[in-house]
Amino acid sequence: MRLSQVIWNGKVTAAIFDEGGLARPIPDYTLQDLIRRSEVDKITLSELARRQAAAHWEALKPIIPIAPKEVWACGCTYEMSASFRDSEHNTREGFYAYVFNANNRPESFFKGTGRVCVGPGQPIGIRPDSRFTAPEPELAVVMGQGGRILGYTLANDVSAWDIEKENPLYLPQSKVYNACCALGPVIVTADEMVDPYHLEMTCTITRDGKEVFRGSVNTSKLNRKIETLIEYIFRANAIPSGSVLCTGTGIIVKEENALAPGDVVTISVPEIGELANPAVVI
Ligand code: DO4
Ligand code: MG
């Protein structure tokens, strides 16, 4: 099932989406409410959504699919991300390759809360003190109690790479700021996601209507099991149900394509949809 949220009767409301973009609102529920109720009543999210949804389909636009309690992210999970960072950063040789190695502890960091997240069509942020901000297109999972995967969505882990590159201790400043994370357009529930390790992801940057960047990756290149990433972040953190984990980027945007205000970043995976956001200086 494809779940997201819409503005319905002036309120943020969970909704079931069909492939064509029509929606059945789920009155009186946000996506967080739906998750909470499905866990209390011990029924699946899809079953609860089906029971509570309005009978009619409407042409409604998806907004952010969930206001996440917490957003976590993993890094250097694709060879591309680790080798680019090793080649660009002023660090000890193999610094990033070390965490790419699946036998070592993965990199994970706290990306923020719902406060820093935006949905489809909303502006993503460029820090005023960054000259090189890049999109990081990532597969993201919505987690339930104990880290159970409830569904899959797309994320843009927007990052001020020049700040990270200057010194790895600046990572939180490069990663966490207003509008640093886009999510959407829908959450494909875990029971309907055919194979999260075989998704073809594309990212484009459009400037003044012209495509200035195109990159793609298949999630088969993800060097970790998503369950392993979740297990690590839960080791010493009671992460609340309704939180999101971004699983790392396999698409690298170089400095010549640094985001400029007005650029539009579009991330797409056929099984999930398209997440497009304009960039603004925040
Ligand atoms: O090591 C820095 C962050 C890496 C990251 O966010 C990624 O690989 O996606
Ligand atoms: Mg990332």
Side-chain angles (χ1 to χ4, degrees), residues 128-160:
D129 55 354
S130 167
R131 286 164 293 95
F132 175 20
T133 290
E136 290 194 4
E138 306 190 6
L139 178 67
V141 289
V142 178
M143 300 174 292
Q145 259 165 8
R148 202 161 55 87
I149 299 176
L150 299 177
Y152 297 81
T153 190
L154 301 178
N156 190 343
D157 170 24
V158 190
S159 307

Side-chain angles (χ1 to χ4, degrees), residues 113-281:
T113 60
R115 180 186 66 78
V116 299
C117 296
V118 299
Q122 291 186 303
I124 45 172
I126 301 174
R127 288 180 62 119
D129 55 354
S130 167
R131 286 164 293 95
F132 175 20
T133 290
E136 290 194 4
E138 306 190 6
L139 178 67
V141 289
V142 178
M143 300 174 292
Q145 259 165 8
R148 202 161 55 87
I149 299 176
L150 299 177
Y152 297 81
T153 190
L154 301 178
N156 190 343
D157 170 24
V158 190
S159 307
W161 276 10
D162 49 347
I163 295 176
E164 178 195 326
K165 191 164 115 170
E166 188 179 338
N167 189 307
L169 294 181
Y170 295 155
L171 188 78
Q173 294 177 65
S174 81
K175 292 288 188 183
V176 187
Y177 55 88
N178 295 336
C180 67
C181 182
L183 296 171
V186 298
I187 298 162
V188 176
T189 53
D191 53 334
E192 284 196 14
M193 177 50 81
V194 191
D195 182 359
Y197 299 102
H198 281 97
L199 301 174
E200 189 64 21
M201 183 180 291
T202 305
C203 175
T204 60
I205 302 176
T206 308
R207 184 168 300 159
D208 299 324
K210 266 202 232 108
E211 187 177 293
V212 293
F213 172 83
R214 171 173 290 265
S216 61
V217 73
N218 193 285
T219 55
S220 58
K221 300 271 190 286
L222 177 63
N223 202 35
R224 306 267 185 170
K225 295 298 280 181
I226 298 170
E227 284 77 3
T228 308
L229 299 176
I230 294 174
E231 190 268 308
Y232 267 98
I233 62 167
F234 269 78
R235 273 192 188 181
N237 278 291
I239 298 172
S241 182
S243 295
V244 165
L245 173 68
C246 307
T247 60
T249 188
I251 298 176
I252 296 299
V253 174
K254 301 230 169 99
E255 188 150 6
E256 62 260 30
N257 294 124
L259 287 181
D263 285 359
V264 176
V265 179
T266 305
I267 302 170
S268 59
V269 162
E271 290 82 348
I272 303 175
E274 206 171 83
L275 174 64
N277 302 89
V280 296
V281 176

Side-chain angles (χ1 to χ4, degrees), residues 63-116:
I63 59 165
I64 190 162
I66 187 167
K69 296 269 177 61
E70 296 181 2
V71 181
W72 290 78
C74 288
C76 300
T77 50
Y78 289 79
E79 199 276 330
M80 208 39 188
S81 173
S83 61
F84 175 71
R85 287 180 153 89
D86 269 329
S87 67
E88 286 272 310
H89 292 40
N90 310 316
T91 45
R92 175 158 56 75
E93 204 184 322
F95 187 89
Y96 293 89
Y98 181 86
V99 295
F100 170 69
N101 185 334
N103 294 321
N104 297 334
R105 181 189 286 272
E107 177 196 3
S108 64
F109 55 92
F110 187 64
K111 180 77 179 163
T113 60
R115 180 186 66 78
V116 299

